[in-house]
Amino acid sequence: EVQLVESGGGLVQAGGSLRLSCAFSGFTFDDYVIGWFRQVPGKEREGVSCISIIDGSTNYADSVKGRFAISGDAAKNTVYLEMNSLKPEDTAVYYCAADPNGGVGVLDLGPYRYFGQGAQVTVSS
């Protein structure tokens, strides 16, 4: 059974930093992409960043480029999202997700089949 579990969310002041972790298990596919998405009430879930496990290539939404960094630890089956210079508009529930098809990672929801339960990130002004 595929499982993804997020951790590391919380409350931080604007300008601060948080690191989210996504621990995944049960994968039987050789090539996959792990992505981070976020959602606020009343809005669609949006792609934040993703990483290809095979070649380590990454992708970022324009709104977080230069502030967020995604990385993976294959030995620990964990992907991290380091979030710096946080802004109140970064407040959302953050979800990690898996695209079992692999290849080039994208920030569209379509290819992602598995999602974690989400972690709340709140940035106060």
Side-chain angles (χ1 to χ4, degrees):
E1 179 187 3
V2 172
Q3 287 190 324
L4 300 101
V5 179
E6 302 93 340
S7 61
L11 173 64
V12 65
Q13 288 188 331
S17 299
L18 280 175
R19 188 176 79 161
L20 298 178
S21 300
C22 173
F24 52 92
S25 61
F27 283 25
T28 59
F29 15 92
D30 296 327
D31 183 13
Y32 51 92
V33 173
I34 300 293
W36 285 98
F37 293 81
R38 64 186 182 186
Q39 188 170 25
V40 297
K43 291 190 175 181
E44 293 186 355
R45 198 169 292 189
E46 65 169 346
V48 175
S49 183
C50 62
I51 184 168
S52 169
I53 294 301
I54 288 296
D55 64 10
S57 59
T58 59
N59 198 1
Y60 295 93
D62 288 342
S63 59
V64 305
K65 279 180 181 176
R67 300 189 298 123
F68 290 13
I70 191 170
S71 61
D73 186 334
K76 295 183 178 179
N77 279 1
T78 302
V79 167
Y80 304 98
L81 185 68
E82 186 75 37
M83 304 183 295
N84 301 309
S85 302
L86 282 162
K87 305 175 181 179
E89 50 263 44
D90 293 318
T91 295
V93 177
Y94 284 71
Y95 300 87
C96 66
D99 167 9
N101 298 310
V104 176
V106 296
L107 297 180
D108 295 327
L109 280 169
Y112 294 87
R113 288 178 53 190
Y114 306 97
F115 286 82
Q117 82 287 353
Q120 177 70 47
V121 171
T122 303
V123 184
S124 63
S125 57

